Amino acid sequence: MTALLARAGGRLAALLLIAAAVQVTPAAARPADTHAPTAQAAAAEQRHDVVTWGASADRIGDAVNDRSYRLIVRTSVAGDDLRIRLSNAFGDRPLTFDSVYAGTRKEGATVVRGTNRRLTFGGSRSVTVPAGATAYSDPLPGRLPAATDLAVSLHTSEASGTATGHSMAMQTSYAAEGDHTGEEAATSWTQPIGSWFYLDAVSVRTSPATGAVVALGDSITDGWQSTSDLNRRWPDYLARRLKATTGSVKGVANEGISGNKVLADGAGQSALNRLDRDVLSLPGVRTVFLFEGVNDIKAHSGVTAQDMIKGYREIIARAHEAGKCVVGATVAPFKGWYEWDAAAESVRVEINQFIRDSGEFDAVTDFDRILRSPYDHERILPVFDGGDRLHPNDKGMQAMADAVDLKSLECSE
């Protein structure tokens, strides 16, 4: 308990540092208040930002001139004063966004009438994000409910070099030629796309008691083999559970990347190399949920269980230093996948023993035991198998979310 209280203090300091660091352009200056603050104003000052949606950034092809994107994302925690984070993390030159809007999606690319509103950055309608950087918008007044389909529309008039985004969204978004960001109708949005471009986080302002959990993982967390456009990734099911409870953790950010590894770059930067940007920099994060390792194991690159344990320990230490708790999840079975062999299975078993028994995680969720067949512990249960012996289907995703002890996310025990 003492250690957790110490980390809780560190968490507040870390969030204050993060809020200062991620702002590329200064927020609009507030007029001086010559009157004593009211109780309502004092309460408002105590509220804080919490991530309500997130997706890991990576290289995603070439940037395109005069292109608009209408990106559909699903919120988790409710709150006020929406802010978005735009990412040029993998760009090799500055990128200007000259028009950005946010509104409630009705269906397809159509935005609910009257909800599409312009976002500003330091009071300006445009923002230039340096190569390798991110930028937060100014707060957008108004309430954003949980479980809302949010449509974020952005335009870049001049773009070149490498584009930043999230390739496998499992969600249909839309593109258009020219600037159509302010339009509510779907008429101009004729190009369905399966990726999110430049947007990597959405946050809201809410009670200081409210927090978020970040799922740090690979393709299983990213949602591969779940049904597209229905939000059936396991973190989505977890968000539904959290919404229905009275606990203080409400926000969920899905920071999975298909093919991602703990130790080595490849399909995205390694979990170690992206931890700060994709996890620790997000506002209001209380707990890191680490479910990753199968790609390191099945790659047959000589990675040992001790190598993996060293990587896990570094993630735990860095998260604890930032004031976060860490829940570890055991690596799921994958016998029948073409890269499986007895040597890889041996490493998986040793890693899972560490996760379960070492006591180094603040809590453990045993996805291995939830997903494995009772007749062959090296295989995924057929009813949960998405068809490739590695990735769970919708039922498997829900079973994973149902297995999470929600109290373990509170970071209070």
Side-chain angles (χ1 to χ4, degrees):
M1 176 67 76
T2 302
L4 287 176
L5 290 174
R7 289 204 295 274
R11 181 189 310 114
L12 178 58
L15 288 174
L16 293 174
L17 290 172
I18 288 165
V22 297
Q23 195 77 21
V24 171
T25 53
R30 295 179 179 177
D33 186 358
T34 58
H35 303 283
T38 64
Q40 183 178 4
E45 287 298 320
Q46 293 175 0
R47 293 161 70 81
H48 73 154
D49 288 346
V50 175
V51 62
T52 190
W53 174 87
S56 304
D58 195 10
R59 294 173 179 84
I60 190 172
D62 296 328
V64 180
N65 286 328
D66 196 22
R67 175 69 62 89
S68 291
Y69 299 97
R70 177 155 287 175
L71 308 170
I72 310 302
V73 304
R74 185 79 164 177
T75 65
S76 53
V77 59
D80 305 309
D81 298 338
L82 168 153
R83 300 176 76 195
I84 69 166
R85 190 171 78 174
L86 297 175
S87 178
N88 191 24
F90 293 92
D92 54 8
R93 64 205 71 188
L95 180 64
T96 297
F97 300 90
D98 53 31
S99 183
V100 184
Y101 278 74
T104 303
R105 193 268 289 264
K106 181 178 181 181
E107 60 183 2
T110 304
V111 177
V112 174
R113 187 175 181 180
T115 67
N116 201 33
R117 294 188 290 160
R118 185 184 292 277
L119 290 164
T120 59
F121 300 81
S124 173
R125 292 186 172 189
S126 67
V127 61
T128 298
V129 186
T134 61
Y136 272 106
S137 70
D138 299 329
L140 186 66
R143 184 73 173 173
L144 181 63
T148 294
D149 281 346
L150 182 70
V152 177
S153 305
L154 53 91
H155 177 257
T156 56
S157 58
E158 295 183 6
S160 57
T162 302
T164 295
H166 188 89
S167 178
M168 196 180 76
M170 306 300 294
Q171 170 67 56
T172 302
S173 292
Y174 304 88
E177 303 303 322
D179 183 4
H180 300 280
T181 53
E183 300 173 8
E184 295 173 338
T187 308
S188 300
W189 299 96
T190 58
Q191 303 172 38
I193 56 175
S195 301
W196 290 305
F197 285 80
Y198 302 114
L199 177 71
D200 78 343
V202 178
S203 62
V204 293
R205 183 157 288 259
T206 186
S207 159
T210 303
V213 56
V214 177
L216 178 60
D218 48 40
S219 57
I220 298 178
T221 297
D222 212 7
W224 184 241
Q225 297 292 8
S226 67
T227 305
S228 294
D229 293 325
L230 293 181
N231 299 299
R232 291 182 176 176
R233 315 163 192 86
W234 75 260
D236 297 323
Y237 284 110
L238 179 62
R240 293 183 183 99
R241 288 188 66 203
L242 292 171
K243 180 177 181 292
T245 66
T246 59
S248 61
V249 172
K250 296 292 186 182
V252 178
N254 185 336
E255 300 295 328
I257 296 181
S258 182
N260 199 232
K261 298 177 181 178
V262 173
L263 303 177
D265 292 347
Q269 292 178 321
S270 70
L272 288 168
N273 287 337
R274 65 189 182 93
L275 181 65
D276 289 343
R277 181 189 64 247
D278 287 354
V279 180
L280 302 182
S281 71
L282 297 175
V285 174
R286 186 170 302 168
T287 301
V288 181
F289 194 106
L290 177 60
F291 174 47
E292 192 157 2
V294 69
N295 290 313
D296 299 79
I297 297 169
K298 67 184 181 60
H300 303 300
S301 59
V303 170
T304 67
Q306 289 306 309
D307 294 330
M308 295 298 298
I309 290 168
K310 182 179 179 182
Y312 292 145
R313 283 174 169 156
E314 182 178 337
I315 290 172
I316 294 169
R318 287 165 59 188
H320 282 174
E321 186 177 359
K324 323 297 181 188
C325 285
V326 185
V327 176
T330 50
V331 180
F334 65 102
K335 187 176 183 180
W337 175 264
Y338 73 97
E339 292 170 299
W340 183 93
D341 63 16
E345 179 65 17
S346 177
V347 173
R348 187 181 75 91
V349 169
E350 189 173 348
I351 288 171
N352 283 349
Q353 183 177 0
F354 165 79
I355 294 171
R356 290 187 185 106
D357 302 333
S358 69
E360 297 190 34
F361 289 95
D362 297 292
V364 172
T365 297
D366 204 337
F367 283 160
D368 172 41
R369 288 180 177 164
I370 293 299
L371 293 174
R372 72 192 185 191
S373 168
Y375 309 107
D376 185 349
H377 289 182
E378 298 172 348
R379 292 183 181 272
I380 188 171
L381 189 68
V383 71
F384 292 154
D385 185 6
D388 60 13
R389 309 297 185 267
L390 172 63
H391 299 93
N393 56 20
D394 293 352
K395 289 182 179 179
M397 295 285 183
Q398 184 168 11
M400 292 169 66
D402 288 346
V404 177
D405 179 358
L406 300 187
K407 291 183 180 180
S408 72
L409 307 180
E410 296 288 333
C411 196
S412 60
E413 296 182 2

